[in-house]
């Protein structure tokens, strides 16, 4: 369903600014406004998490030409992998921008991250490769809480 690899062919007419970039990545700039410092704002016209029981709404589904996958009966397709890769790329861009902005603003070479997104090892690797940090730590608090829940 939805987009075909690298071509502008869709079952439903796409809304503006949604198209493939390189290597089957979706251009998500229509859904998220990212500032230079890494702060961002999601276009709430396409999301339902603040007021409903789902993350995305019909407008989002129509935009991509597909409803969310039912994990109990639907297999993961290339379409799903392309969306996941696109979201990963945006996440990396945001994390790099925030890390760089904090380094410039506070002039400290150290960085400590905590929370779910902080466990994104690909993004963390890119922050480390950027060579702006002397010390980089991901808080183990979340991991320790999870470990204690699993062992109790």
């Amino acid at each position: 369903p939805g987009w075909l690899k690298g071509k502008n062919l869709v079952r439903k007419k796409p809304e503006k600014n949604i198209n493939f970039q390189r290597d089957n990545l979706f251009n998500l700039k229509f859904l998220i406004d990212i500032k230079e410092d890494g702060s961002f704002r999601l276009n709430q016209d396409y999301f339902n998490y603040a007021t409903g029981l789902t993350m995305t709404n019909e407008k989002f589904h129509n935009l991509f030409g597909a409803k969310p996958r039912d994990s109990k009966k639907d297999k993961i397709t290339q379409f799903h992998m392309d969306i996941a890769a696109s979201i990963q790329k945006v996440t990396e861009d945001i994390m790099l921008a925030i890390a760089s902005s904090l380094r410039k603003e506070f002039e400290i070479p150290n960085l400590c991250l905590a929370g779910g997104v902080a466990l994104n090892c690909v993004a963390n690797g890119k922050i480390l490769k950027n060579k702006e940090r002397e010390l980089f730590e991901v808080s183990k608090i979340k991991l320790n809480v999870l470990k204690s829940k699993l062992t109790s």
Side-chain angles (χ1 to χ4, degrees), residues 87-102:
I87 294 168
Q88 174 67 29
K89 173 74 171 98
V90 169
T91 302
E92 292 166 12
D93 292 347
I94 290 169
M95 289 180 71
L96 281 165
I98 290 172
S100 182
S101 176
L102 290 171

Side-chain angles (χ1 to χ4, degrees), residues 97-151:
I98 290 172
S100 182
S101 176
L102 290 171
R103 165 76 179 195
K104 289 175 189 161
E105 183 177 352
F106 295 105
E107 298 179 358
I108 358 178
N110 304 331
L111 177 66
C112 179
L113 300 175
V117 176
L119 299 175
N120 187 318
C121 59
V122 174
N124 289 342
K126 291 187 177 186
I127 292 170
L128 278 173
K129 260 187 181 174
N130 202 5
K131 304 283 187 208
E132 285 190 3
R133 302 287 167 195
E134 290 175 19
L135 175 65
F136 181 79
E137 179 180 338
V138 176
S139 172
K140 296 177 184 155
I141 294 170
K142 189 165 184 96
L143 294 174
N144 290 338
V145 170
L146 178 62
K147 183 179 176 184
S148 69
K149 285 183 180 181
L150 291 174
T151 57

Side-chain angles (χ1 to χ4, degrees), residues 70-89:
D70 181 344
S71 62
K72 292 180 181 162
K73 62 182 181 179
D74 298 332
K75 292 186 177 187
I76 295 174
T77 66
Q78 187 63 49
F79 172 77
H80 300 110
M81 291 185 274
D82 292 342
I83 288 179
S86 302
I87 294 168
Q88 174 67 29
K89 173 74 171 98

